[in-house]
Amino acid sequence: MEKTSAEDDCVDSGAETGGSDYSPLSSTSSELSMGELQDPFLVSIHLIVDPGQGKFLQHAADAVLAWVHPELQLFRVSERASISQRPWPKHHQNSSLTAACQPALAVILFLQEAHGGEEQILMLHRALQRPPWRYHHTEKVSNGRRMLPLTPCSQDFFTLSPGTPLWAVRQVHYGKEIVRFTVYCQHENYVDMVRLYKLLLQRRVAQKKEDFCFFVVYSNLDMEIQLSFKRLPRGQSPVVLDSAVMEVRVRDVGALVPLLPHPCSPISEVRWQTEDYDGNKILLQV
């Protein structure tokens, strides 16, 4: 697999390491054959939204991912039976989230700035500021590198519906474009969380640092899908999303059941449901 180029030495949200070389601490991604990385839908996300909003929000999610690839439908939106009373999250202007407000999952798009890409990145950033998207918070970046053109040292996050993942976009100077799912983990559960998803994905860790790592879920010459894990400081617990569920395709769910930290039950002929160490629901698709 083609390696991408060094971008930074610091990881805060998982939004800062697109286009970075794989860590020498890890099993290098180059050991992964392309044959292992040919299922772009190995990991996907189910979103549950209010009645009447399904088609609209499905289109919104697909439209954002289309900036990376027009057929990259990694989100499946379904409607709940009745309208949720869950309020929209409060805005956190010009600061990181408080310890009690960090959602457990984020989606970060790393887009090329080459060949006129800066204007396209800004267009997408502006699109995320219009309905149905809502601004969530701005995160300061400690390494001082630009996350977007004209917005130095900060990263804006948006959300599509209450109880669903955060979304962000940033530029990469070279290398592949990336869709990264970031799971925020309790400090004491981080190692177990990484081990669990390594078991489910049947992947090696591509890059790891003390408080951050990622797996390459899918890769081709132009783009990459990653699943990353960010260790939160002691005392912080991520907010489990009640309207989003991660789905992972597995080959043999029967072999996995005894190894999982929580009970795993069938909900259909092809899907089983369980939880990870932080209480996030996981669907296993056979």
Side-chain angles (χ1 to χ4, degrees):
M1 176 191 302
E2 174 191 357
K3 288 188 178 181
T4 48
S5 304
E7 184 72 17
D8 64 5
D9 297 315
C10 178
V11 177
D12 284 340
S13 67
E16 298 181 49
T17 57
S20 62
D21 271 335
Y22 298 124
S23 168
L25 301 176
S26 69
S27 299
T28 61
S29 176
S30 59
E31 295 173 2
L32 294 173
S33 70
M34 292 302 289
E36 289 180 293
L37 300 174
Q38 289 310 302
D39 183 3
F41 307 108
L42 180 66
V43 174
S44 59
I45 307 294
H46 289 261
L47 303 181
I48 301 97
V49 302
D50 285 342
Q53 294 292 307
K55 289 184 178 180
F56 183 42
L57 298 185
Q58 179 73 68
H59 175 75
D62 291 346
V64 170
L65 291 176
W67 287 77
V68 177
H69 192 283
E71 297 179 0
L72 199 60
Q73 297 179 329
L74 299 177
F75 286 80
R76 303 172 187 174
V77 180
S78 57
E79 298 181 0
R80 56 174 62 89
S82 58
I83 296 177
S84 171
Q85 300 302 313
R86 182 184 178 93
W88 282 93
K90 295 181 179 179
H91 292 178
H92 297 265
Q93 293 280 1
N94 301 320
S95 66
S96 297
L97 292 180
T98 63
C101 297
Q102 176 62 63
L105 182 64
V107 185
I108 303 165
L109 304 185
F110 297 85
L111 301 180
Q112 282 277 8
E113 68 175 11
H115 310 298
E118 279 202 4
E119 180 58 33
Q120 291 189 340
I121 294 170
L122 289 172
M123 287 174 59
L124 176 55
H125 187 256
R126 287 192 288 266
L128 290 172
Q129 299 176 61
R130 297 192 293 268
W133 299 96
R134 293 206 184 190
Y135 170 82
H136 190 275
H137 77 284
T138 296
E139 184 173 288
K140 294 297 183 183
V141 180
S142 59
N143 65 7
R145 284 179 165 81
R146 294 191 309 167
M147 308 303 279
L148 281 169
L150 310 180
T151 57
C153 305
S154 66
Q155 174 73 72
D156 293 336
F157 286 85
F158 304 87
T159 189
L160 192 56
S161 179
T164 65
L166 300 179
W167 292 67
V169 58
R170 68 153 298 185
Q171 66 191 36
V172 289
H173 302 296
Y174 28 74
K176 299 178 182 180
E177 296 193 316
I178 300 168
V179 177
R180 175 181 291 169
F181 300 113
T182 297
V183 179
Y184 296 88
C185 308
Q186 292 186 45
H187 191 279
E188 58 271 23
N189 289 341
Y190 173 76
V191 173
D192 288 330
M193 289 279 282
V194 174
R195 185 182 299 117
L196 171 62
Y197 284 89
K198 180 179 181 180
L199 173 68
L200 298 179
L201 295 172
Q202 294 295 294
R203 294 280 193 270
R204 299 181 183 94
V205 174
Q207 181 190 50
K208 61 181 178 182
K209 299 183 181 180
E210 184 179 359
D211 62 352
F212 175 82
C213 71
F214 70 76
F215 299 88
V216 177
V217 174
Y218 171 81
S219 183
N220 63 27
L221 294 176
D222 302 314
M223 60 158 289
E224 196 162 278
I225 300 171
Q226 301 174 355
L227 177 60
S228 72
F229 295 84
K230 170 63 182 174
R231 189 179 210 166
L232 293 177
R234 293 185 186 276
Q236 289 191 22
S237 295
V239 177
V240 173
L241 299 179
D242 56 12
S243 297
V245 182
M246 182 178 294
E247 178 173 296
V248 181
R249 289 180 175 175
V250 298
R251 293 179 181 178
D252 186 355
V253 70
L256 292 171
V257 168
L259 306 175
L260 300 175
H262 294 288
C264 185
S265 305
I267 60 172
S268 72
E269 292 184 356
V270 297
R271 288 187 174 90
W272 294 56
Q273 182 172 290
T274 187
E275 293 184 3
D276 63 23
Y277 289 91
D278 279 353
N280 303 299
K281 289 185 174 60
I282 313 171
L283 291 179
L284 304 180
Q285 182 188 6
V286 181

